[in-house]
Amino acid sequence: SLVIYLRVLRRQQGLMISGFLQTIAVAVLSDQSHVSVQAEIYRRRLENLIHLLGMAGIEATFPDGGFYLWVRAPSGDAWELARFLAEVAGIVVCPGELFGTGGSHYVRIAAVGTDEKLGLVKERLDLL
């Protein structure tokens, strides 16, 4: 009957995560080796970005955590730095003021570009 069908359906939808999803979650969460692999990738990208920015005369320091660089605009104008990085280096960054007034003289750079794309940035900056 319809009542039996709805009772079975409700049991699967609203009260708990289904058993097969719980089994998958246990398998996924029991192996965290991928975390250190990804952390190493981001560390390498951050170091590469810091080096590339240095090639353009822009100082950047390694972050305490995360995969973002907060880079102070040499002229104090984050929008000018964002424009320069986009036009010359091919890096799209976010002016820090979009995250609050404390970031107004900075740009935020996410280290999510592939190593190949960072190689293109290096080629562009070598032309300076």
Side-chain angles (χ1 to χ4, degrees):
S1 82
L2 181 59
V3 172
I4 293 171
Y5 171 77
L6 290 175
R7 185 181 314 158
V8 171
L9 181 65
R10 174 69 178 135
R11 192 176 323 136
Q12 296 300 316
Q13 288 187 342
L15 300 177
M16 60 183 258
I17 297 173
S18 60
F20 80 93
L21 288 176
Q22 291 180 41
T23 302
I24 291 170
V26 168
V28 168
L29 294 174
S30 64
D31 178 14
Q32 294 292 302
S33 61
H34 65 282
V35 174
S36 58
V37 170
Q38 193 62 43
E40 176 59 25
I41 290 169
Y42 285 126
R43 184 199 57 73
R44 187 181 66 245
R45 287 178 185 165
L46 286 164
E47 288 176 349
N48 198 0
L49 278 167
I50 291 168
H51 173 73
L52 292 171
L53 291 166
M55 289 174 59
I58 302 165
E59 184 181 340
T61 57
F62 202 85
D64 291 334
F67 56 86
Y68 297 106
L69 291 178
W70 282 91
V71 180
R72 185 167 182 77
S75 70
D77 185 345
W79 290 92
E80 176 186 348
L81 178 57
R83 190 177 316 93
F84 168 81
L85 290 172
E87 291 175 355
V88 174
I91 301 174
V92 177
V93 304
C94 192
E97 73 181 46
L98 299 176
F99 299 95
T101 56
S104 63
H105 300 292
Y106 294 82
V107 295
R108 187 183 82 164
I109 305 173
V112 295
T114 64
D115 293 333
E116 292 79 23
K117 296 214 182 207
L118 291 174
L120 291 173
V121 171
K122 182 180 183 317
E123 288 176 21
R124 291 173 181 143
L125 291 176
D126 280 341
L127 299 175
L128 288 179

